[in-house]
């Protein structure tokens, strides 16, 4: 059941009419300050969906509140709370909407907010989720780590750069990828997203800008924009970022750094070719342009091992390297790392201590044991086998149901297939129609405003039978969108 539904307690077989129960619960939320004066209520359509009732029932409940002078409807502006009592206008109250709207951090796109909410509804089929499904998580191995009483976990605060034990394990793990580093040049973070936040506020001046591939994960989060940093797009093709266009953007905008996902790119699945890796490294060196190499998908190769990380060829300290356990071991453990020059790590560690006083010590203990005991190597072999099977089944379903109306490339690793739909398909409408049928897609415009005819599919999370059924139903919805 959807979490939002659980917060509304309706007796559908009771003696009190549903509209009256809803009116009472709405009134309670207003009276107790959960929805202060000035708050815009959810739309009637959304409330009806959340509660599983007809829209007319919601209208009747709101009309009751309006008759008491508690809410007021504005044409085109929804319904707002105007009073928090039955018999008097509210005294001086805080306009929380103004506070919310004036906050420095930019809100997510509406589609992303809908996705974030819908992903916690177990009845939803998540066709685009970028994380391992529950059946791919090493629950039993982690349970054994926590049950091992021979090695007690540390439950206090860790040092600013993170657990030394974990950083020593990451030194060995990175060496397997050809990256030479020391514990002093590693910062433990709560996932790669926090790494980007620390970099945005800790290393870049305002106003300034960065450049990034398009489409890209960085376009779906507002980390840099909320820190006052502009983001300029660099075009990609089947070989990765286009170096010529990158040079043009650098000459025009003078960015502070480049953000790139060179290996199993999100959302396209592209691998930056060896030739372009060499060109990119040369460009970074000649222009003293720092690079953020987001390499969280590296271990998810399915056909052959990808080229070495850019960081493995970095002899000048130009590259800030991001790694994570989220895509292979556990997204919930929230353990990632930055490998960078020591002055950079010192600066970011100081900011992180100001922000959260360090990542979870328990999570770092589990991660250190996971790496030290060799679980990562064993688990990734098994996960690759599972993902190969899942990829094959999704590709077969696409061949069957989308072969005549869409285009896609076969990814050599990672989680994603970047599906291009006909130009007369409104992906926003497709998103809405699919969600009504409990199918959650990731529209391409979240990753690139120009990718209005793409969706990101993932074979990593959803149950495969449900995913195959969803592909069949999505074809019908796509056809529906094409015919209107």
């Amino acid at each position: 059941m959807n979490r939002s539904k659980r917060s509304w307690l309706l007796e559908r077989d009771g003696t009190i009419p549903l509209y009256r129960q809803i009116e009472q619960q709405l009134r309670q939320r207003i009276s107790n300050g959960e929805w202060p004066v000035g708050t815009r209520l959810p739309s009637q359509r959304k409330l009806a969906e959340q509660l599983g009732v007809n829209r007319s029932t919601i209208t009747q409940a709101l009309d009751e509140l309006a008759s008491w002078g508690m809410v007021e409807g504005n044409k085109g502006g929804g319904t707002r709370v105007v009073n928090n009592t039955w018999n008097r206008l509210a005294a001086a109250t805080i306009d929380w909407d103004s506070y919310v709207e004036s906050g420095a951090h930019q809100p997510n796109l509406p589609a992303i907010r809908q996705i974030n909410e819908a992903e916690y509804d177990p009845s939803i089929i998540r066709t685009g989720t970028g994380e391992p499904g529950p059946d791919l998580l090493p629950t039993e191995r982690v349970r054994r780590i926590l049950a091992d009483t021979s090695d007690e976990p540390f439950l206090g605060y860790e040092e600013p750069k993170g657990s030394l034990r974990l950083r020593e394990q990451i030194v060995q793990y990175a060496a397997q990828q050809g990256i030479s580093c020391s514990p002093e040049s590693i910062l433990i973070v709560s996932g790669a997203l926090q790494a980007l936040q620390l970099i945005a506020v800790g290393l870049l001046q305002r106003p300034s800008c960065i450049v990034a591939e398009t489409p890209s994960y960085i376009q779906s989060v507002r980390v840099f924009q909320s820190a006052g940093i502009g983001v300029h797009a660099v075009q990609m093709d089947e070989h990765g970022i286009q170096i010529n266009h990158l040079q043009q953007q650098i000459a025009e905008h003078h960015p502070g750094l480049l953000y790139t996902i060179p290996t199993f790119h999100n959302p396209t699945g592209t691998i930056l070719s060896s030739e372009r890796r060499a060109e990119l490294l040369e460009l970074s060196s000649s222009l003293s342009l720092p690079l953020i190499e987001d390499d969280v998908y590296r271990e998810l190769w399915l056909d052959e091992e990808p080229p070495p990380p850019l960081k493995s060829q970095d002899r000048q300290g130009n590259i800030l390297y991001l790694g994570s356990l989220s895509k292979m071991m556990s997204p919930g453990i929230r353990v990632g790392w930055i490998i960078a020059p020591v002055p950079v790590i010192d600066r970011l560690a100081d900011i992180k201590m100001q922000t959260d006083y360090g990542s979870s010590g328990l999570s770092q203990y589990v991660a250190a044991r996971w790496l030290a005991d060799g679980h990562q190597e064993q688990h990734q072999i098994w996960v690759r086998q599972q993902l190969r099977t899942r990829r094959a089944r999704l590709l077969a379903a696409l061949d069957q149901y989308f072969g005549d109306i869409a285009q896609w490339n076969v990814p050599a690793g990672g989680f994603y297939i970047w599906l291009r739909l006909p130009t007369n398909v409104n992906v926003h409408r497709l998103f809405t129609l699919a969600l009504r049928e409990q199918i959650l897609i990731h529209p391409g415009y979240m990753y690139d405003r120009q990718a209005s005819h793409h969706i990101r599919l993932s074979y990593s999370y959803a149950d495969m039978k449900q995913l195959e059924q969803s592909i069949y139903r999505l074809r019908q919805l796509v056809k529906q969108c094409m015919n209107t």
Side-chain angles (χ1 to χ4, degrees):
M1 181 182 296
N2 191 310
R3 290 184 181 184
S4 59
K5 288 183 181 179
R6 292 201 295 264
S7 66
W8 299 85
L9 303 177
L10 301 180
E11 296 182 9
R12 300 185 183 273
D13 298 325
T15 58
I16 302 176
L18 283 177
Y19 85 88
R20 182 69 68 184
Q21 295 182 52
I22 295 169
E23 178 251 324
Q24 291 172 350
Q25 294 189 45
L26 288 170
R27 175 156 37 87
Q28 182 179 8
R29 293 184 181 211
I30 294 170
S31 299
N32 66 17
E34 185 177 349
W35 287 347
V37 172
T39 299
R40 179 181 296 174
L41 272 59
S43 68
Q44 293 184 22
R45 179 189 59 78
K46 185 173 183 178
L47 284 172
E49 290 178 354
Q50 287 181 350
L51 276 65
V53 299
N54 293 328
R55 187 169 175 177
S56 59
T57 304
I58 301 297
T59 301
Q60 197 171 2
L62 292 175
D63 286 346
E64 287 291 318
L65 290 176
S67 70
W68 289 104
M70 298 183 76
V71 299
E72 184 177 274
N74 297 317
K75 186 175 182 180
T79 301
R80 287 184 180 271
V81 178
V82 295
N83 186 7
N84 60 1
T85 68
W86 289 2
N87 54 13
R88 64 179 178 84
L89 289 177
T93 57
I94 297 173
D95 183 0
W96 284 114
D97 278 3
S98 295
Y99 276 85
V100 169
E101 292 171 2
S102 62
H105 204 289
Q106 297 185 25
N108 271 325
L109 293 171
I112 297 177
R113 294 201 297 272
Q114 285 182 275
I115 288 172
N116 290 340
E117 180 178 342
E119 283 189 329
Y120 293 96
D121 184 344
S123 65
I124 294 287
I125 302 173
R126 296 161 61 172
T127 69
T129 296
E131 65 185 75
D135 56 331
L136 293 182
L137 299 179
T139 305
E140 184 54 39
R141 291 188 183 188
V142 173
R143 183 182 290 118
R144 289 200 299 268
I145 290 174
L146 291 170
D148 184 359
T149 58
S150 66
D151 185 12
E152 294 183 0
F154 179 67
L155 300 181
Y157 290 121
E158 291 286 0
E159 57 184 285
K161 293 183 182 180
S163 160
L164 177 59
R165 181 180 183 182
L166 175 55
R167 286 184 286 127
E168 289 173 341
Q169 289 301 319
I170 292 172
V171 167
Q172 298 180 38
Y173 186 62
Q176 299 172 13
Q177 313 298 335
I179 299 173
S180 177
C181 60
S182 68
E184 290 70 33
S185 63
I186 298 173
L187 172 64
I188 305 301
V189 291
S190 299
L193 181 57
Q194 186 184 50
L196 296 176
Q197 291 173 322
L198 293 173
I199 291 168
V201 300
L203 301 183
L204 296 170
Q205 298 179 351
R206 289 136 188 79
S208 63
C209 67
I210 69 168
V211 286
E213 300 140 333
T214 187
S216 177
Y217 164 72
I218 201 66
Q219 300 289 351
S220 67
V221 293
R222 303 296 181 90
V223 175
F224 288 96
Q225 295 94 328
S226 294
I229 308 298
V231 179
H232 297 284
V234 182
Q235 298 298 320
M236 298 178 65
D237 59 24
E238 67 273 18
H239 302 296
I241 194 168
Q242 295 184 12
I243 302 300
N244 289 340
H245 191 233
L246 173 60
Q247 291 173 318
Q248 295 172 13
Q249 293 291 74
I250 292 173
E252 181 176 353
H253 299 292
H254 307 288
L257 56 80
L258 163 68
Y259 171 80
T260 179
I261 310 175
T263 304
F264 309 129
H265 177 266
N266 176 13
T268 67
T270 304
I271 300 177
L272 184 65
S273 67
S274 297
E275 294 76 12
R276 290 198 185 171
R277 287 172 188 254
E279 291 181 81
L280 187 55
L281 286 167
E282 174 60 30
L283 187 63
S284 171
S285 176
S286 63
L287 298 179
S288 297
L289 177 69
L291 306 183
I292 301 176
E293 181 179 12
D294 190 340
D295 209 26
V296 300
Y297 298 98
R298 163 162 296 278
E299 298 293 359
L300 297 170
W301 57 269
L302 304 182
D303 297 331
E304 60 182 24
E305 197 164 352
L310 296 168
K311 184 64 177 175
S312 67
Q313 305 297 318
D314 179 23
R315 300 294 177 263
Q316 297 177 302
N318 289 349
I319 296 177
L320 313 178
Y321 182 85
L322 310 187
S324 173
L325 292 179
S326 294
K327 305 305 180 184
M328 179 62 73
M329 178 213 176
S330 165
I333 200 171
R334 307 308 301 138
V335 169
W337 53 88
I338 309 173
I339 302 176
V342 173
V344 172
I345 294 298
D346 289 343
R347 166 66 169 155
L348 299 184
D350 176 60
I351 297 174
K352 180 170 169 59
M353 288 297 285
Q354 297 179 53
T355 303
D356 65 6
Y357 221 73
S359 298
S360 162
L362 184 59
S363 290
Q364 293 184 68
Y365 164 81
V366 172
R369 282 286 308 273
W370 174 264
L371 293 173
D373 295 348
H375 293 302
Q376 178 77 349
E377 290 79 4
Q378 300 170 31
H379 185 63
Q380 64 192 18
I381 292 172
W382 179 78
V383 168
R384 290 188 196 116
Q385 292 172 344
Q386 302 304 309
L387 290 178
R388 289 186 190 105
T389 300
R390 290 167 176 249
R391 179 186 63 175
R393 290 182 63 174
L394 178 54
L395 289 170
L398 288 174
D399 284 335
Q400 182 175 2
Y401 299 120
F402 278 84
D404 59 335
I405 59 173
Q407 297 175 327
W408 64 90
N409 292 323
V410 177
F415 292 154
Y416 310 119
I417 292 176
W418 189 235
L419 191 71
R420 179 178 176 82
L421 299 170
T423 56
N424 59 342
V425 174
N426 184 321
V427 171
H428 177 71
R429 181 163 185 260
L430 178 65
F431 172 81
T432 302
L433 292 175
L435 192 56
R436 289 176 184 172
E437 300 202 16
Q438 307 294 88
I439 299 172
L440 184 62
I441 65 172
H442 281 224
Y445 55 75
M446 296 192 327
Y447 309 97
D448 177 3
R449 293 179 182 176
Q450 305 304 315
S452 56
H453 308 297
H454 289 77
I455 61 174
R456 188 187 82 175
L457 295 175
S458 168
Y459 44 83
S460 68
Y461 189 89
D463 172 84
M464 287 311 300
K465 288 185 178 180
Q466 290 184 327
L467 184 58
E468 290 165 336
Q469 293 168 357
S470 296
I471 297 302
Y472 165 73
R473 184 60 186 133
L474 281 174
R475 174 190 171 85
Q476 296 175 316
L477 295 176
V478 167
K479 286 288 190 178
Q480 181 178 336
C481 290
M482 292 171 63
N483 294 330
T484 57

